[in-house]
Amino acid sequence: MRENWGRVVAFTGAGISAEAGIPTFRGENGLWRRYRPEELATPQAFRRDPRRVWSWYRWRMSLIAGAEPTRAHRILAEWERKGLLLGVVTQNVDGLHQRAGSRRVIELHGSIWRVRCTKCGSRFDLGFGNVPEEELPRCALCGGLLRPDVVWFGEQVSTDSFLEAQELFSRAEVVLSIGTSGAVMPASMLPIDAVERGKILVEVNPEETNLSSLAAVRLRGPSGRILGELASLVEEDSSWR
Ligand code: NAD
Ligand code: ZN
């Protein structure tokens, strides 16, 4: 990997935030063990019972609001500052990469800290940690019902953010996939395409995933510890300076 420092892109998922106390969707202690996704993270569910969906989101938002970025988040931000990392393409909606200081962050699935009007389409930034108090938040412009500006099951990823992610991947030689099950499409097409184009996939995950068989290197363990070990190697290796 040494000759490729500076041409690395990180592809992250819920697992990078697990050590911050934010449950993942899949895997042990996954959110889905207690809630049925089809009742909560779909446009149909929101139409049927927006109060229930908002109450789940407000719970998740409060959880995230009280969380700190993990060691892995901070290391990625530091690598970007040092010019070792091109940026982060994340499936997470929690905003912890930005909190840790990462500047180039592409949020494929939107942000839990932004809302969108279901009537006029306006978007509003809430700011990290600001959980709406109302049971059913309303648009300040038209009074329409607001929803979390995240990509739900069955919804399209925004073309702009996907193109931006593809552009970042095209400049990378190494893809560092951290804490993702690789089960969500089209996000997971990014590392899959990268491997098809001859790029090196390095996986950081305590478990086997859909991407494992494509990875040239599989680092099994929690992201904080593994990235900590990688960071020590980077410190020792002066060849990138
Ligand atoms: P996922 O829930 O499908 O998979 C989580 C992965 O993280 C698993 O492979 C698991 O083995 C791994 N993992 C668990 N603990 C880890 C650790 N300490 N270090 C490294 N890896 C660890 O998550 P996904 O692949 O991101 O896809 C599901 C969808 O979940 C995404 O679209 C995302 O929007 C959404 N999501 C986001 C958050 C968040 O923003 N924090 C939380 C839950 C779900
Ligand atoms: Zn509106």
Side-chain angles (χ1 to χ4, degrees), residues 41 55 83 92 96 104 124 129 134 138 148 171 174 177 185 241:
S55 132
N92 293 347
L96 289 182
R104 189 95 165 90
F124 303 94
E134 312 81 17
R138 298 256 163 207
R171 289 195 277 129
V174 175
S177 170
M185 291 295 170
R241 276 178 245 235

Side-chain angles (χ1 to χ4, degrees), residues 117 119-120 122 139 141-144:
C117 177
K119 204 162 151 196
C120 74
S122 302
C139 175
L141 302 179
C142 77

Side-chain angles (χ1 to χ4, degrees), residues 41-107:
T42 69
Q44 294 81 356
F46 190 72
R47 273 198 297 274
R48 206 163 45 231
D49 195 348
R51 267 196 180 76
R52 183 172 154 77
V53 174
W54 259 119
S55 132
W56 184 58
Y57 270 90
R58 276 204 305 275
W59 170 71
R60 287 182 64 198
M61 291 168 94
S62 315
L63 200 67
I64 298 167
E68 292 293 332
T70 65
R71 188 176 179 200
H73 286 110
R74 291 198 306 270
I75 288 171
L76 291 181
E78 189 185 320
W79 284 349
E80 185 187 5
R81 273 196 300 276
K82 289 180 168 169
L84 302 175
L85 185 80
L86 291 166
V88 179
V89 175
T90 189
Q91 298 163 85
N92 293 347
V93 297
D94 56 32
L96 289 182
H97 282 297
Q98 294 91 329
R99 291 281 287 175
S102 281
R103 277 166 295 196
R104 189 95 165 90
V105 182
I106 299 167
E107 294 177 310

